Each structure stands twice: as structure tokens, then as C-alpha cells.
Amino acid sequence: MQEITLHDLEFIEILSEKHLLESIKSLGLKIREEYYDKYPLVLVILNGAFVFAAELIKYFDFPLELDFVRYRSYKGLHSSGEIQKSLPFPGQIEGRHVLLLEDIVDTGLTLSVLTKDLLDQHPESLKTACLLYKPEALIYPIEPDFYSFQVENKFLVGFGLDYKGLGRNLRNLYQLKPGKKP
Ligand code: XMP
Ligand code: MG
């Protein structure tokens, strides 16, 4: 298992790139069955979901529209409890089959605020897919419709996820080493 240091903290690998990509492939094929004839609007939640989304849409071999929203809730190692919306989607949601792509569902705050904002605009359907799901951390009553991995309630980096701006470019997924939290 590879170990890395980002800023002041040490992390240990928990999922390899190979394992992540295999799981995303089977998730992509499963989601494909549901959307291939629906011309969905795929909304990627920036920043963290960009790597997951880029891999997942390789299995979406049908017409779709893809765009980005930026909803931010994390500061450093913890959820801030507030949502910063800096890039709401400007297009039409009404009547569309919307699929939200998120990197990780933690307290559920980001997904619950975003799904409420979207449901207010009357989509035909709305579902969410995430790479990682931390069920032990869930506070808000929302669960992803599709996910690749359930993970422990520990801070993660890599494969799009960052610690204070570092680590998004790492190919594997890493967990904060026990006892290393300041
Ligand atoms: P909530 O609490 O809104 O959190 O469900 C979801 C958002 O918080 C970020 N997040 C993390 N980012 N490592 C990260 O780098 C983590 O372990 C982690 N947990 C949550 C992430 O941006 C996600 O969109
Ligand atoms: Mg995010």
C-alpha cells in the first residue's frame, strides 16, 4: 500500500486505480440501461466529481447533454455545514431526465440542497450517482441512487478529491492515516 504526504498530513492507499476503474465500468453499464433512450441532462458537481464523471461517461454511448454545477460544502477536513453555490446550472431543467454526478456523499448536505433546487424546477426525473458513499456520516435524509463504493467515515483524497487543494490528480484513492488528524 502506497503512502503519501499532502501538506501536513499522511495518507494511505485504500483503492487502486484498477479497482476504481473496474467498479466505475460496471456502474456505467448499469446506469446506461436506465438512460440510453432518455436523452438525459448529466450534471457534474464541481470540483471533486470531474474525474469520476470523465470515466463514467465513457460507458454512456447514447445522446446526452453534460454540464457542470459548483456546490461546495467542505472546508479542509470537515463539512462546513453551509453550501456555497458559485455555478448554478442556467439551462432548462423542466421536463428533463436529470442525472447528478457527485464524488462523495458524506453528510448529504450538498445533495439535499442541490436536489431541492432542481426539484423546484420540475425535472421529469432526478437521480444521483456517486463514486463514494459514507453512510455513517449521513445527517440529511438522502441516499444516492447509484454508487460504486461504501467507505468508512474517514477523510479521503485522490481521484478528484483534495486536501486543501492538493491530491486531485492522484490516480488512486487514499485515506487519512489513523492518529494523524491534528
Ligand atoms: P456533504 O457533507 O455535503 O459532502 O455530503 C459532500 C462534499 O464534501 C466533500 N467531501 C470530501 N472531500 N474528502 C474530500 O476531499 C472527503 O473525504 C470528503 N467528504 C466530503 C466533497 O466535495 C463532496 O462533494
Ligand atoms: Mg464535491
Side-chain angles (χ1 to χ4, degrees):
M1 287 291 168
Q2 199 198 346
E3 296 192 7
I4 53 155
T5 301
L6 299 176
H7 296 295
D8 52 332
L9 297 181
E10 291 171 20
F11 297 83
I12 185 153
E13 183 187 320
I14 55 161
L15 288 170
S16 67
E17 178 185 31
K18 184 170 175 281
H19 200 164
L20 289 159
L21 295 182
E22 279 168 6
S23 176
I24 293 172
K25 178 178 179 180
S26 50
L27 191 71
L29 294 173
K30 185 171 157 194
I31 297 175
R32 180 193 181 280
E33 289 308 302
E34 187 155 338
Y35 286 98
Y36 73 93
D37 58 351
K38 291 200 173 127
Y39 183 46
L41 170 61
V42 179
L43 288 181
V44 182
I45 308 178
L46 292 173
N47 293 335
F50 77 104
V51 179
F52 169 54
E55 293 299 336
L56 192 74
I57 60 162
K58 290 178 182 169
Y59 303 99
F60 293 178
D61 55 347
F62 49 83
L64 57 80
E65 193 183 345
L66 185 132
D67 218 316
F68 301 90
V69 289
R70 175 174 282 144
Y71 276 49
R72 202 177 295 191
S73 67
Y74 244 62
K75 285 219 174 94
L77 291 176
H78 306 284
S79 173
S80 67
E82 286 167 29
I83 291 280
Q84 253 180 291
K85 306 175 195 177
S86 54
L87 193 61
F89 177 65
Q92 184 176 330
I93 299 291
E94 188 171 351
R96 300 297 306 268
H97 291 283
V98 180
L99 175 66
L100 273 178
L101 300 186
E102 173 64 308
D103 50 358
I104 180 163
V105 177
D106 188 295
T107 65
L109 176 65
T110 308
L111 269 197
S112 64
V113 172
L114 187 46
T115 51
K116 187 187 173 303
D117 286 356
L118 292 169
L119 287 172
D120 285 349
Q121 299 174 63
H122 310 293
E124 181 68 27
S125 70
L126 176 62
K127 290 203 174 180
T128 56
C130 63
L131 177 66
L132 306 159
Y133 175 35
K134 285 184 190 171
E136 286 166 31
L138 204 65
I139 296 175
Y140 297 85
I142 191 148
E143 280 177 22
D145 297 288
F146 307 95
Y147 60 87
S148 280
F149 298 96
Q150 277 200 16
V151 288
E152 285 176 56
N153 190 8
K154 304 245 173 79
F155 188 76
L156 304 170
V157 294
F159 210 81
L161 287 85
D162 74 309
Y163 169 52
K164 293 186 185 169
L166 290 183
R168 293 196 196 277
N169 53 324
L170 299 170
R171 290 167 173 253
N172 307 318
L173 192 80
Y174 302 83
Q175 187 181 72
L176 184 63
K177 272 180 84 170
K180 292 291 172 186
K181 211 162 169 176

PDB file of all heavy atoms in Angstrom, residues 45-48 71-74 76-77 79 83 102-111 134 138 140 154-158 160-163 168, ligand 1:
ATOM      1  N   ILE A  45     -21.065  17.697 -10.386  1.00  0.00           N
ATOM      2  CA  ILE A  45     -20.846  18.647  -9.288  1.00  0.00           C
ATOM      3  C   ILE A  45     -19.343  18.902  -9.127  1.00  0.00           C
ATOM      4  O   ILE A  45     -18.580  18.007  -8.752  1.00  0.00           O
ATOM      5  CB  ILE A  45     -21.446  18.125  -7.965  1.00  0.00           C
ATOM      6  CG1 ILE A  45     -22.914  17.711  -8.167  1.00  0.00           C
ATOM      7  CG2 ILE A  45     -21.344  19.203  -6.885  1.00  0.00           C
ATOM      8  CD1 ILE A  45     -23.579  17.129  -6.928  1.00  0.00           C
ATOM      9  N   LEU A  46     -18.952  20.117  -9.435  1.00  0.00           N
ATOM     10  CA  LEU A  46     -17.541  20.510  -9.312  1.00  0.00           C
ATOM     11  C   LEU A  46     -17.215  20.832  -7.859  1.00  0.00           C
ATOM     12  O   LEU A  46     -18.093  21.222  -7.123  1.00  0.00           O
ATOM     13  CB  LEU A  46     -17.276  21.762 -10.167  1.00  0.00           C
ATOM     14  CG  LEU A  46     -17.372  21.537 -11.677  1.00  0.00           C
ATOM     15  CD1 LEU A  46     -17.257  22.867 -12.411  1.00  0.00           C
ATOM     16  CD2 LEU A  46     -16.318  20.560 -12.165  1.00  0.00           C
ATOM     17  N   ASN A  47     -15.960  20.682  -7.426  1.00  0.00           N
ATOM     18  CA  ASN A  47     -14.839  20.283  -8.267  1.00  0.00           C
ATOM     19  C   ASN A  47     -14.634  18.756  -8.299  1.00  0.00           C
ATOM     20  O   ASN A  47     -14.212  18.210  -9.298  1.00  0.00           O
ATOM     21  CB  ASN A  47     -13.538  20.912  -7.749  1.00  0.00           C
ATOM     22  CG  ASN A  47     -13.535  22.413  -7.896  1.00  0.00           C
ATOM     23  OD1 ASN A  47     -14.203  22.979  -8.727  1.00  0.00           O
ATOM     24  ND2 ASN A  47     -12.756  23.074  -7.061  1.00  0.00           N
ATOM     25  N   GLY A  48     -14.900  18.108  -7.183  1.00  0.00           N
ATOM     26  CA  GLY A  48     -14.391  16.751  -6.979  1.00  0.00           C
ATOM     27  C   GLY A  48     -14.841  15.694  -7.969  1.00  0.00           C
ATOM     28  O   GLY A  48     -14.125  14.724  -8.200  1.00  0.00           O
ATOM     29  N   TYR A  71     -21.128  23.339  -6.256  1.00  0.00           N
ATOM     30  CA  TYR A  71     -21.704  23.486  -4.912  1.00  0.00           C
ATOM     31  C   TYR A  71     -20.620  23.006  -3.959  1.00  0.00           C
ATOM     32  O   TYR A  71     -20.152  21.872  -4.059  1.00  0.00           O
ATOM     33  CB  TYR A  71     -22.951  22.605  -4.745  1.00  0.00           C
ATOM     34  CG  TYR A  71     -24.243  23.196  -5.257  1.00  0.00           C
ATOM     35  CD1 TYR A  71     -24.341  23.748  -6.527  1.00  0.00           C
ATOM     36  CD2 TYR A  71     -25.391  23.194  -4.468  1.00  0.00           C
ATOM     37  CE1 TYR A  71     -25.529  24.269  -6.995  1.00  0.00           C
ATOM     38  CE2 TYR A  71     -26.587  23.718  -4.924  1.00  0.00           C
ATOM     39  CZ  TYR A  71     -26.654  24.253  -6.192  1.00  0.00           C
ATOM     40  OH  TYR A  71     -27.839  24.758  -6.646  1.00  0.00           O
ATOM     41  N   ARG A  72     -20.251  23.856  -3.032  1.00  0.00           N
ATOM     42  CA  ARG A  72     -19.115  23.498  -2.181  1.00  0.00           C
ATOM     43  C   ARG A  72     -19.525  23.489  -0.714  1.00  0.00           C
ATOM     44  O   ARG A  72     -20.139  24.447  -0.240  1.00  0.00           O
ATOM     45  CB  ARG A  72     -18.021  24.540  -2.388  1.00  0.00           C
ATOM     46  CG  ARG A  72     -16.658  24.053  -2.012  1.00  0.00           C
ATOM     47  CD  ARG A  72     -15.633  25.107  -2.308  1.00  0.00           C
ATOM     48  NE  ARG A  72     -15.514  25.384  -3.736  1.00  0.00           N
ATOM     49  CZ  ARG A  72     -14.535  26.119  -4.249  1.00  0.00           C
ATOM     50  NH1 ARG A  72     -13.630  26.663  -3.482  1.00  0.00           N
ATOM     51  NH2 ARG A  72     -14.475  26.328  -5.532  1.00  0.00           N
ATOM     52  N   SER A  73     -19.189  22.411   0.013  1.00  0.00           N
ATOM     53  CA  SER A  73     -19.568  22.372   1.435  1.00  0.00           C
ATOM     54  C   SER A  73     -18.397  22.081   2.353  1.00  0.00           C
ATOM     55  O   SER A  73     -18.472  22.322   3.542  1.00  0.00           O
ATOM     56  CB  SER A  73     -20.638  21.293   1.662  1.00  0.00           C
ATOM     57  OG  SER A  73     -20.088  20.018   1.430  1.00  0.00           O
ATOM     58  N   TYR A  74     -17.306  21.558   1.799  1.00  0.00           N
ATOM     59  CA  TYR A  74     -16.194  21.141   2.654  1.00  0.00           C
ATOM     60  C   TYR A  74     -15.151  22.235   2.817  1.00  0.00           C
ATOM     61  O   TYR A  74     -14.793  22.916   1.861  1.00  0.00           O
ATOM     62  CB  TYR A  74     -15.514  19.900   2.054  1.00  0.00           C
ATOM     63  CG  TYR A  74     -15.637  18.679   2.942  1.00  0.00           C
ATOM     64  CD1 TYR A  74     -16.884  18.160   3.248  1.00  0.00           C
ATOM     65  CD2 TYR A  74     -14.516  18.048   3.478  1.00  0.00           C
ATOM     66  CE1 TYR A  74     -17.016  17.043   4.051  1.00  0.00           C
ATOM     67  CE2 TYR A  74     -14.632  16.922   4.282  1.00  0.00           C
ATOM     68  CZ  TYR A  74     -15.884  16.432   4.561  1.00  0.00           C
ATOM     69  OH  TYR A  74     -16.008  15.328   5.356  1.00  0.00           O
ATOM     70  N   GLY A  76     -11.305  22.218   4.337  1.00  0.00           N
ATOM     71  CA  GLY A  76     -10.252  21.379   4.929  1.00  0.00           C
ATOM     72  C   GLY A  76     -10.744  19.954   5.102  1.00  0.00           C
ATOM     73  O   GLY A  76     -11.106  19.304   4.144  1.00  0.00           O
ATOM     74  N   LEU A  77     -10.821  19.492   6.360  1.00  0.00           N
ATOM     75  CA  LEU A  77     -11.164  18.092   6.620  1.00  0.00           C
ATOM     76  C   LEU A  77     -12.628  17.879   6.961  1.00  0.00           C
ATOM     77  O   LEU A  77     -13.059  16.751   7.154  1.00  0.00           O
ATOM     78  CB  LEU A  77     -10.343  17.578   7.805  1.00  0.00           C
ATOM     79  CG  LEU A  77      -8.846  17.414   7.609  1.00  0.00           C
ATOM     80  CD1 LEU A  77      -8.194  17.003   8.918  1.00  0.00           C
ATOM     81  CD2 LEU A  77      -8.553  16.379   6.542  1.00  0.00           C
ATOM     82  N   SER A  79     -17.067  19.008   6.838  1.00  0.00           N
ATOM     83  CA  SER A  79     -18.185  19.705   6.223  1.00  0.00           C
ATOM     84  C   SER A  79     -18.397  21.011   6.980  1.00  0.00           C
ATOM     85  O   SER A  79     -18.390  21.037   8.201  1.00  0.00           O
ATOM     86  CB  SER A  79     -19.441  18.833   6.314  1.00  0.00           C
ATOM     87  OG  SER A  79     -20.551  19.565   5.858  1.00  0.00           O
ATOM     88  N   ILE A  83     -23.647  25.643   2.314  1.00  0.00           N
ATOM     89  CA  ILE A  83     -23.367  25.397   0.900  1.00  0.00           C
ATOM     90  C   ILE A  83     -23.044  26.715   0.201  1.00  0.00           C
ATOM     91  O   ILE A  83     -23.769  27.695   0.336  1.00  0.00           O
ATOM     92  CB  ILE A  83     -24.611  24.774   0.212  1.00  0.00           C
ATOM     93  CG1 ILE A  83     -24.836  23.368   0.725  1.00  0.00           C
ATOM     94  CG2 ILE A  83     -24.452  24.764  -1.289  1.00  0.00           C
ATOM     95  CD1 ILE A  83     -23.966  22.323   0.104  1.00  0.00           C
ATOM     96  N   GLU A 102     -21.733  13.004  -8.440  1.00  0.00           N
ATOM     97  CA  GLU A 102     -21.038  13.556  -7.274  1.00  0.00           C
ATOM     98  C   GLU A 102     -19.856  12.644  -6.931  1.00  0.00           C
ATOM     99  O   GLU A 102     -19.912  11.434  -7.168  1.00  0.00           O
ATOM    100  CB  GLU A 102     -22.057  13.644  -6.110  1.00  0.00           C
ATOM    101  CG  GLU A 102     -21.515  14.033  -4.772  1.00  0.00           C
ATOM    102  CD  GLU A 102     -20.931  15.435  -4.715  1.00  0.00           C
ATOM    103  OE1 GLU A 102     -20.083  15.753  -5.571  1.00  0.00           O
ATOM    104  OE2 GLU A 102     -21.281  16.187  -3.784  1.00  0.00           O
ATOM    105  N   ASP A 103     -18.793  13.213  -6.364  1.00  0.00           N
ATOM    106  CA  ASP A 103     -17.653  12.375  -5.998  1.00  0.00           C
ATOM    107  C   ASP A 103     -17.950  11.544  -4.753  1.00  0.00           C
ATOM    108  O   ASP A 103     -17.753  10.343  -4.728  1.00  0.00           O
ATOM    109  CB  ASP A 103     -16.368  13.214  -5.799  1.00  0.00           C
ATOM    110  CG  ASP A 103     -16.573  14.413  -4.868  1.00  0.00           C
ATOM    111  OD1 ASP A 103     -17.708  14.632  -4.391  1.00  0.00           O
ATOM    112  OD2 ASP A 103     -15.591  15.133  -4.611  1.00  0.00           O
ATOM    113  N   ILE A 104     -18.474  12.234  -3.705  1.00  0.00           N
ATOM    114  CA  ILE A 104     -18.661  11.536  -2.432  1.00  0.00           C
ATOM    115  C   ILE A 104     -19.855  12.118  -1.685  1.00  0.00           C
ATOM    116  O   ILE A 104     -20.024  13.332  -1.647  1.00  0.00           O
ATOM    117  CB  ILE A 104     -17.356  11.595  -1.590  1.00  0.00           C
ATOM    118  CG1 ILE A 104     -17.517  10.885  -0.253  1.00  0.00           C
ATOM    119  CG2 ILE A 104     -16.861  13.000  -1.385  1.00  0.00           C
ATOM    120  CD1 ILE A 104     -16.178  10.569   0.416  1.00  0.00           C
ATOM    121  N   VAL A 105     -20.677  11.245  -1.139  1.00  0.00           N
ATOM    122  CA  VAL A 105     -21.781  11.688  -0.289  1.00  0.00           C
ATOM    123  C   VAL A 105     -21.368  11.440   1.156  1.00  0.00           C
ATOM    124  O   VAL A 105     -21.086  10.304   1.546  1.00  0.00           O
ATOM    125  CB  VAL A 105     -23.092  10.948  -0.611  1.00  0.00           C
ATOM    126  CG1 VAL A 105     -24.198  11.374   0.350  1.00  0.00           C
ATOM    127  CG2 VAL A 105     -23.520  11.240  -2.046  1.00  0.00           C
ATOM    128  N   ASP A 106     -21.311  12.515   1.920  1.00  0.00           N
ATOM    129  CA  ASP A 106     -20.786  12.489   3.287  1.00  0.00           C
ATOM    130  C   ASP A 106     -21.953  12.771   4.245  1.00  0.00           C
ATOM    131  O   ASP A 106     -22.711  11.867   4.571  1.00  0.00           O
ATOM    132  CB  ASP A 106     -19.680  13.552   3.339  1.00  0.00           C
ATOM    133  CG  ASP A 106     -18.879  13.544   4.613  1.00  0.00           C
ATOM    134  OD1 ASP A 106     -19.451  13.833   5.663  1.00  0.00           O
ATOM    135  OD2 ASP A 106     -17.672  13.271   4.573  1.00  0.00           O
ATOM    136  N   THR A 107     -22.176  14.032   4.621  1.00  0.00           N
ATOM    137  CA  THR A 107     -23.347  14.335   5.459  1.00  0.00           C
ATOM    138  C   THR A 107     -24.625  14.336   4.628  1.00  0.00           C
ATOM    139  O   THR A 107     -25.725  14.278   5.179  1.00  0.00           O
ATOM    140  CB  THR A 107     -23.221  15.718   6.138  1.00  0.00           C
ATOM    141  OG1 THR A 107     -23.238  16.729   5.120  1.00  0.00           O
ATOM    142  CG2 THR A 107     -21.953  15.836   6.933  1.00  0.00           C
ATOM    143  N   GLY A 108     -24.483  14.470   3.294  1.00  0.00           N
ATOM    144  CA  GLY A 108     -25.655  14.538   2.407  1.00  0.00           C
ATOM    145  C   GLY A 108     -26.130  15.962   2.177  1.00  0.00           C
ATOM    146  O   GLY A 108     -27.093  16.182   1.438  1.00  0.00           O
ATOM    147  N   LEU A 109     -25.435  16.942   2.790  1.00  0.00           N
ATOM    148  CA  LEU A 109     -25.871  18.341   2.659  1.00  0.00           C
ATOM    149  C   LEU A 109     -25.873  18.804   1.194  1.00  0.00           C
ATOM    150  O   LEU A 109     -26.863  19.357   0.712  1.00  0.00           O
ATOM    151  CB  LEU A 109     -24.956  19.251   3.495  1.00  0.00           C
ATOM    152  CG  LEU A 109     -25.225  20.752   3.395  1.00  0.00           C
ATOM    153  CD1 LEU A 109     -26.599  21.093   3.963  1.00  0.00           C
ATOM    154  CD2 LEU A 109     -24.156  21.557   4.123  1.00  0.00           C
ATOM    155  N   THR A 110     -24.774  18.556   0.497  1.00  0.00           N
ATOM    156  CA  THR A 110     -24.673  19.026  -0.898  1.00  0.00           C
ATOM    157  C   THR A 110     -25.800  18.450  -1.744  1.00  0.00           C
ATOM    158  O   THR A 110     -26.497  19.187  -2.448  1.00  0.00           O
ATOM    159  CB  THR A 110     -23.305  18.594  -1.498  1.00  0.00           C
ATOM    160  OG1 THR A 110     -22.272  19.020  -0.624  1.00  0.00           O
ATOM    161  CG2 THR A 110     -23.089  19.186  -2.880  1.00  0.00           C
ATOM    162  N   LEU A 111     -25.990  17.137  -1.653  1.00  0.00           N
ATOM    163  CA  LEU A 111     -27.034  16.506  -2.476  1.00  0.00           C
ATOM    164  C   LEU A 111     -28.421  16.967  -2.078  1.00  0.00           C
ATOM    165  O   LEU A 111     -29.280  17.160  -2.946  1.00  0.00           O
ATOM    166  CB  LEU A 111     -26.982  14.985  -2.343  1.00  0.00           C
ATOM    167  CG  LEU A 111     -26.133  14.212  -3.332  1.00  0.00           C
ATOM    168  CD1 LEU A 111     -26.533  12.747  -3.297  1.00  0.00           C
ATOM    169  CD2 LEU A 111     -26.270  14.740  -4.749  1.00  0.00           C
ATOM    170  N   LYS A 134     -20.425   7.550   2.211  1.00  0.00           N
ATOM    171  CA  LYS A 134     -20.054   7.338   3.627  1.00  0.00           C
ATOM    172  C   LYS A 134     -21.343   7.260   4.440  1.00  0.00           C
ATOM    173  O   LYS A 134     -21.747   8.263   5.041  1.00  0.00           O
ATOM    174  CB  LYS A 134     -19.271   8.549   4.152  1.00  0.00           C
ATOM    175  CG  LYS A 134     -17.829   8.714   3.720  1.00  0.00           C
ATOM    176  CD  LYS A 134     -17.230   9.932   4.465  1.00  0.00           C
ATOM    177  CE  LYS A 134     -15.886  10.337   3.935  1.00  0.00           C
ATOM    178  NZ  LYS A 134     -15.396  11.621   4.494  1.00  0.00           N
ATOM    179  N   LEU A 138     -23.900  10.211   7.242  1.00  0.00           N
ATOM    180  CA  LEU A 138     -25.125  10.814   6.705  1.00  0.00           C
ATOM    181  C   LEU A 138     -25.952  11.499   7.801  1.00  0.00           C
ATOM    182  O   LEU A 138     -26.264  10.895   8.825  1.00  0.00           O
ATOM    183  CB  LEU A 138     -25.956   9.728   6.020  1.00  0.00           C
ATOM    184  CG  LEU A 138     -26.937  10.201   4.956  1.00  0.00           C
ATOM    185  CD1 LEU A 138     -26.199  10.802   3.763  1.00  0.00           C
ATOM    186  CD2 LEU A 138     -27.813   9.039   4.491  1.00  0.00           C
ATOM    187  N   TYR A 140     -28.344  14.295   6.558  1.00  0.00           N
ATOM    188  CA  TYR A 140     -29.537  14.721   5.815  1.00  0.00           C
ATOM    189  C   TYR A 140     -30.183  13.490   5.176  1.00  0.00           C
ATOM    190  O   TYR A 140     -29.467  12.569   4.747  1.00  0.00           O
ATOM    191  CB  TYR A 140     -29.144  15.770   4.754  1.00  0.00           C
ATOM    192  CG  TYR A 140     -28.587  16.996   5.417  1.00  0.00           C
ATOM    193  CD1 TYR A 140     -27.237  17.060   5.776  1.00  0.00           C
ATOM    194  CD2 TYR A 140     -29.411  18.059   5.745  1.00  0.00           C
ATOM    195  CE1 TYR A 140     -26.718  18.165   6.437  1.00  0.00           C
ATOM    196  CE2 TYR A 140     -28.902  19.166   6.400  1.00  0.00           C
ATOM    197  CZ  TYR A 140     -27.563  19.207   6.745  1.00  0.00           C
ATOM    198  OH  TYR A 140     -27.068  20.296   7.407  1.00  0.00           O
ATOM    199  N   LYS A 154     -13.993   8.307   7.092  1.00  0.00           N
ATOM    200  CA  LYS A 154     -12.630   8.863   7.225  1.00  0.00           C
ATOM    201  C   LYS A 154     -12.392   9.800   6.049  1.00  0.00           C
ATOM    202  O   LYS A 154     -13.001   9.633   4.988  1.00  0.00           O
ATOM    203  CB  LYS A 154     -11.593   7.735   7.151  1.00  0.00           C
ATOM    204  CG  LYS A 154     -11.805   6.633   8.161  1.00  0.00           C
ATOM    205  CD  LYS A 154     -10.644   6.598   9.145  1.00  0.00           C
ATOM    206  CE  LYS A 154     -10.856   5.646  10.286  1.00  0.00           C
ATOM    207  NZ  LYS A 154     -10.603   4.247   9.963  1.00  0.00           N
ATOM    208  N   PHE A 155     -11.489  10.743   6.225  1.00  0.00           N
ATOM    209  CA  PHE A 155     -11.220  11.710   5.157  1.00  0.00           C
ATOM    210  C   PHE A 155     -10.413  11.068   4.034  1.00  0.00           C
ATOM    211  O   PHE A 155      -9.430  10.370   4.278  1.00  0.00           O
ATOM    212  CB  PHE A 155     -10.476  12.924   5.726  1.00  0.00           C
ATOM    213  CG  PHE A 155     -10.342  14.027   4.734  1.00  0.00           C
ATOM    214  CD1 PHE A 155     -11.437  14.830   4.428  1.00  0.00           C
ATOM    215  CD2 PHE A 155      -9.144  14.246   4.080  1.00  0.00           C
ATOM    216  CE1 PHE A 155     -11.329  15.838   3.486  1.00  0.00           C
ATOM    217  CE2 PHE A 155      -9.030  15.258   3.133  1.00  0.00           C
ATOM    218  CZ  PHE A 155     -10.126  16.050   2.842  1.00  0.00           C
ATOM    219  N   LEU A 156     -10.840  11.320   2.784  1.00  0.00           N
ATOM    220  CA  LEU A 156     -10.230  10.689   1.620  1.00  0.00           C
ATOM    221  C   LEU A 156      -9.684  11.715   0.634  1.00  0.00           C
ATOM    222  O   LEU A 156     -10.222  12.815   0.539  1.00  0.00           O
ATOM    223  CB  LEU A 156     -11.281   9.831   0.889  1.00  0.00           C
ATOM    224  CG  LEU A 156     -11.968   8.762   1.733  1.00  0.00           C
ATOM    225  CD1 LEU A 156     -13.130   8.154   0.969  1.00  0.00           C
ATOM    226  CD2 LEU A 156     -10.970   7.697   2.150  1.00  0.00           C
ATOM    227  N   VAL A 157      -8.657  11.324  -0.086  1.00  0.00           N
ATOM    228  CA  VAL A 157      -8.113  12.172  -1.163  1.00  0.00           C
ATOM    229  C   VAL A 157      -7.745  11.316  -2.366  1.00  0.00           C
ATOM    230  O   VAL A 157      -7.592  10.099  -2.256  1.00  0.00           O
ATOM    231  CB  VAL A 157      -6.843  12.967  -0.736  1.00  0.00           C
ATOM    232  CG1 VAL A 157      -7.151  13.989   0.328  1.00  0.00           C
ATOM    233  CG2 VAL A 157      -5.744  12.020  -0.283  1.00  0.00           C
ATOM    234  N   GLY A 158      -7.573  11.991  -3.496  1.00  0.00           N
ATOM    235  CA  GLY A 158      -7.181  11.316  -4.739  1.00  0.00           C
ATOM    236  C   GLY A 158      -8.375  11.120  -5.655  1.00  0.00           C
ATOM    237  O   GLY A 158      -9.524  11.281  -5.241  1.00  0.00           O
ATOM    238  N   GLY A 160      -9.710  12.901  -7.873  1.00  0.00           N
ATOM    239  CA  GLY A 160     -10.597  14.073  -7.919  1.00  0.00           C
ATOM    240  C   GLY A 160     -10.785  14.757  -6.578  1.00  0.00           C
ATOM    241  O   GLY A 160     -11.137  15.930  -6.524  1.00  0.00           O
ATOM    242  N   LEU A 161     -10.548  14.025  -5.478  1.00  0.00           N
ATOM    243  CA  LEU A 161     -10.764  14.617  -4.150  1.00  0.00           C
ATOM    244  C   LEU A 161      -9.477  15.250  -3.627  1.00  0.00           C
ATOM    245  O   LEU A 161      -8.387  14.710  -3.850  1.00  0.00           O
ATOM    246  CB  LEU A 161     -11.232  13.550  -3.150  1.00  0.00           C
ATOM    247  CG  LEU A 161     -12.661  13.066  -3.319  1.00  0.00           C
ATOM    248  CD1 LEU A 161     -12.731  11.965  -4.336  1.00  0.00           C
ATOM    249  CD2 LEU A 161     -13.209  12.553  -2.009  1.00  0.00           C
ATOM    250  N   ASP A 162      -9.634  16.345  -2.888  1.00  0.00           N
ATOM    251  CA  ASP A 162      -8.439  17.081  -2.465  1.00  0.00           C
ATOM    252  C   ASP A 162      -8.389  17.310  -0.961  1.00  0.00           C
ATOM    253  O   ASP A 162      -9.399  17.260  -0.264  1.00  0.00           O
ATOM    254  CB  ASP A 162      -8.420  18.467  -3.128  1.00  0.00           C
ATOM    255  CG  ASP A 162      -9.438  19.409  -2.493  1.00  0.00           C
ATOM    256  OD1 ASP A 162     -10.604  19.021  -2.373  1.00  0.00           O
ATOM    257  OD2 ASP A 162      -9.042  20.530  -2.095  1.00  0.00           O
ATOM    258  N   TYR A 163      -7.176  17.582  -0.490  1.00  0.00           N
ATOM    259  CA  TYR A 163      -6.984  18.141   0.847  1.00  0.00           C
ATOM    260  C   TYR A 163      -6.317  19.503   0.657  1.00  0.00           C
ATOM    261  O   TYR A 163      -5.177  19.564   0.168  1.00  0.00           O
ATOM    262  CB  TYR A 163      -6.109  17.217   1.703  1.00  0.00           C
ATOM    263  CG  TYR A 163      -5.661  17.859   3.006  1.00  0.00           C
ATOM    264  CD1 TYR A 163      -6.582  18.440   3.868  1.00  0.00           C
ATOM    265  CD2 TYR A 163      -4.311  17.913   3.357  1.00  0.00           C
ATOM    266  CE1 TYR A 163      -6.181  19.056   5.037  1.00  0.00           C
ATOM    267  CE2 TYR A 163      -3.896  18.511   4.529  1.00  0.00           C
ATOM    268  CZ  TYR A 163      -4.839  19.092   5.358  1.00  0.00           C
ATOM    269  OH  TYR A 163      -4.433  19.713   6.519  1.00  0.00           O
ATOM    270  N   ARG A 168      -5.955  16.063  -6.076  1.00  0.00           N
ATOM    271  CA  ARG A 168      -7.000  15.738  -7.061  1.00  0.00           C
ATOM    272  C   ARG A 168      -6.461  14.911  -8.216  1.00  0.00           C
ATOM    273  O   ARG A 168      -7.178  14.142  -8.832  1.00  0.00           O
ATOM    274  CB  ARG A 168      -7.624  17.019  -7.642  1.00  0.00           C
ATOM    275  CG  ARG A 168      -8.411  17.828  -6.645  1.00  0.00           C
ATOM    276  CD  ARG A 168      -9.302  18.839  -7.365  1.00  0.00           C
ATOM    277  NE  ARG A 168      -9.790  19.871  -6.474  1.00  0.00           N
ATOM    278  CZ  ARG A 168     -10.854  19.744  -5.667  1.00  0.00           C
ATOM    279  NH1 ARG A 168     -11.518  18.627  -5.637  1.00  0.00           N
ATOM    280  NH2 ARG A 168     -11.221  20.741  -4.897  1.00  0.00           N
TER     281      ARG A 168
HETATM  282  P1  XMP B   1     -21.684  16.500   2.058  1.00  0.00           P
HETATM  283  O1  XMP B   1     -21.382  16.579   3.521  1.00  0.00           O
HETATM  284  O2  XMP B   1     -22.298  17.757   1.522  1.00  0.00           O
HETATM  285  O3  XMP B   1     -20.260  16.376   1.433  1.00  0.00           O
HETATM  286  O4  XMP B   1     -22.431  15.242   1.688  1.00  0.00           O
HETATM  287  C1  XMP B   1     -20.106  16.199   0.090  1.00  0.00           C
HETATM  288  C2  XMP B   1     -18.991  17.072  -0.435  1.00  0.00           C
HETATM  289  O5  XMP B   1     -17.973  17.259   0.541  1.00  0.00           O
HETATM  290  C3  XMP B   1     -16.715  16.950   0.027  1.00  0.00           C
HETATM  291  N1  XMP B   1     -16.190  15.792   0.782  1.00  0.00           N
HETATM  292  C4  XMP B   1     -14.924  15.368   0.757  1.00  0.00           C
HETATM  293  N2  XMP B   1     -13.863  15.816   0.065  1.00  0.00           N
HETATM  294  N3  XMP B   1     -12.539  14.115   1.039  1.00  0.00           N
HETATM  295  C5  XMP B   1     -12.670  15.192   0.224  1.00  0.00           C
HETATM  296  O6  XMP B   1     -11.690  15.573  -0.403  1.00  0.00           O
HETATM  297  C6  XMP B   1     -13.562  13.598   1.771  1.00  0.00           C
HETATM  298  O7  XMP B   1     -13.396  12.619   2.500  1.00  0.00           O
HETATM  299  C7  XMP B   1     -14.816  14.279   1.618  1.00  0.00           C
HETATM  300  N4  XMP B   1     -16.037  14.068   2.149  1.00  0.00           N
HETATM  301  C8  XMP B   1     -16.846  15.016   1.611  1.00  0.00           C
HETATM  302  C9  XMP B   1     -16.908  16.618  -1.421  1.00  0.00           C
HETATM  303  O8  XMP B   1     -16.556  17.740  -2.161  1.00  0.00           O
HETATM  304  C10 XMP B   1     -18.365  16.385  -1.602  1.00  0.00           C
HETATM  305  O9  XMP B   1     -18.847  16.993  -2.776  1.00  0.00           O
END
